[in-house]
Amino acid sequence: MTCTIGGFRRDMAEKSLPLSAFANRDANSYGVIRLAAAIAVIFTHAFGVVGGWEAAEPLAAATGWSLAAHAVHVFFVLSGFMIAASWERAAGWIDFVVARVLRIMPALICVNLAIVLIGDVCGRGRNDTLRLRPSVFAC
């Protein structure tokens, strides 16, 4: 018996496909799934913008979870899947950690610098600036 998964034709009796075969960028629809989840988050936030943040989104009223909450769960599942595929492709744990750091740290540094710069520019001339003061940490 044969099957086609992720653009790969395999005999069902053979060894199963590695996880990284399903994470192939050319043979998956993860971008479409991520787009649908992002649109779901925007849809839910639209209820808060239009009707006030206490307005109930229909799915939240019916299930107790908003559509955005379900979308975040989808993001977490996809992220875990992609990280597991990255782990499988790595030669060892050191290569995996280096790859994760090189992927995450540049964006993290840029965003934190932007926050500090924008906070400094927007906070100038105000009494309630965004600068860290000892009183901020007082209990």
Side-chain angles (χ1 to χ4, degrees), residues 110-126:
C110 289
V111 166
N112 281 308
L113 285 174
I115 289 169
V116 169
L117 293 174
I118 291 170
D120 187 45
V121 169
C122 292
R124 273 195 194 145
R126 294 184 182 178

Side-chain angles (χ1 to χ4, degrees), residues 2-3 24 30 34 44 60 63 70 77-78 80 98 103 111 128:
T2 62
C3 68
N24 181 359
Y30 299 125
R34 290 171 58 196
T44 299
T63 66
H70 291 297
V77 168
L78 287 177
V98 168
R103 179 173 173 87
V111 166
D128 58 342

Side-chain angles (χ1 to χ4, degrees), residues 82-138:
M82 294 298 172
I83 289 172
S86 176
W87 171 262
E88 188 178 69
R89 284 190 304 267
W93 71 271
I94 293 175
D95 290 334
F96 173 75
V97 170
V98 168
R100 299 306 316 158
V101 166
L102 290 176
R103 179 173 173 87
I104 294 169
M105 290 308 289
L108 181 64
I109 291 168
C110 289
V111 166
N112 281 308
L113 285 174
I115 289 169
V116 169
L117 293 174
I118 291 170
D120 187 45
V121 169
C122 292
R124 273 195 194 145
R126 294 184 182 178
N127 292 332
D128 58 342
T129 62
L130 300 174
R131 296 183 196 349
L132 296 178
R133 299 180 306 269
S135 62
V136 172
F137 301 104

Side-chain angles (χ1 to χ4, degrees), residues 63-88:
T63 66
W65 292 85
S66 70
L67 186 59
H70 291 297
V72 168
H73 297 151
V74 168
F75 281 123
F76 283 153
V77 168
L78 287 177
S79 177
F81 179 72
M82 294 298 172
I83 289 172
S86 176
W87 171 262
E88 188 178 69

